[in-house]
Amino acid sequence: MAIASDHRGVEYKNNIIEFLKGKGLEIVDCSTTNTPTDDYPDFAFKVCNQVINNNVDFGVLVCRTGIGMSIAANKVKGIRAVVCS
């Protein structure tokens, strides 16, 4: 699984990673450094490329609302993203 977040979702992303690693899953963190000026579409595209290139089975994107990340991800051919809460 690949995962990424913008700067507002780092804590939540890290909690997800910790939980899933505890279940024995391999995680690819596509946003290891975050700053208040980061550009969330870059992180979304990194996760999408991991999925499109069959490096992972699925991806998780985390941001404050989820809307921006899902819009960015849906611009990638072959990706379908939705906001879950």
Side-chain angles (χ1 to χ4, degrees):
M1 181 193 94
I3 190 168
S5 71
D6 67 356
H7 67 280
R8 292 182 175 170
V10 173
E11 184 177 345
Y12 193 64
K13 177 195 73 171
N14 290 336
N15 290 336
I16 294 170
I17 290 171
E18 184 179 323
F19 175 80
L20 294 175
K21 281 187 175 181
K23 301 289 184 185
L25 294 174
E26 285 186 40
I27 310 297
V28 177
D29 186 352
C30 295
S31 61
T32 56
T33 52
N34 293 94
T35 66
T37 60
D38 59 19
D39 198 9
Y40 66 85
D42 292 338
F43 298 132
F45 296 145
K46 286 180 183 181
V47 170
C48 291
N49 285 329
Q50 289 287 318
V51 175
I52 292 296
N53 292 323
N54 294 314
N55 297 328
V56 297
D57 293 325
F58 65 95
V60 173
L61 301 168
V62 182
C63 70
R64 186 171 62 112
T65 65
I67 296 168
M69 286 284 212
S70 65
I71 290 171
N74 281 317
K75 292 183 179 191
V76 178
K77 185 177 181 179
I79 296 292
R80 294 295 172 256
V82 297
V83 177
C84 300
S85 57

